[in-house]
Amino acid sequence: MNAQALVITDNAANKVRQLRESEGNQELMLRVYVTGGGCSGFSYGFNFADSVNEDDAKFENGDVTMLVDSLSYQYLVGSVVDYIEGLEGSRFIVQNPNATTTCGCGSSFSI
């Protein structure tokens, strides 16, 4: 596997499959992005896309595609996108080896 790649875990891919089913749209792809803000400087965002932009990188787990735009990619290189269910609720998370600090909520980081 390419060391620069991002990984979408089986848990995350399975959740995307469930959400596609509930939306009735098998074309939906998970988009992961980075925005400014949050208590540590940057925040992760997740949404669904039904089309690929010109600058998107694509990462796959079976029939599930994850998209990352070129600006966000530089902050996410080598990350693992997972889906967890726990006491804090259910959510997609990013395990980012580039983050030097993170906050307690797990959705904010700095480089």
Side-chain angles (χ1 to χ4, degrees):
M1 181 189 308
N2 181 343
Q4 300 299 301
L6 277 73
V7 173
I8 177 170
T9 67
D10 291 345
N11 279 348
N14 287 335
K15 185 60 180 180
V16 171
R17 287 182 190 100
Q18 291 172 9
L19 294 168
R20 285 193 315 205
E21 193 70 35
S22 67
E23 292 290 319
N25 183 350
Q26 293 303 311
E27 303 302 312
L28 290 177
M29 297 167 278
L30 179 65
R31 178 174 296 284
V32 182
Y33 58 93
V34 172
T35 60
C39 44
S40 293
F42 294 101
S43 293
Y44 302 113
F46 303 93
N47 62 26
F48 281 105
D50 53 11
S51 63
V52 179
N53 296 332
E54 192 175 299
D55 70 335
D56 284 339
K58 291 170 59 173
F59 305 95
E60 297 178 343
N61 179 326
D63 62 340
V64 172
T65 300
M66 177 173 65
L67 303 174
V68 179
D69 65 84
S70 60
L71 188 62
S72 297
Y73 179 81
Q74 62 187 327
Y75 298 108
L76 295 170
V77 168
S79 293
V80 174
V81 175
D82 199 3
Y83 183 80
I84 59 168
E85 296 180 6
L87 295 175
E88 300 86 30
S90 304
R91 64 186 192 272
F92 288 101
I93 62 164
V94 177
Q95 297 163 0
N96 188 342
N98 306 303
T100 56
T101 58
T102 58
C103 66
C105 67
S107 64
S108 181
F109 71 103
S110 65
I111 301 280

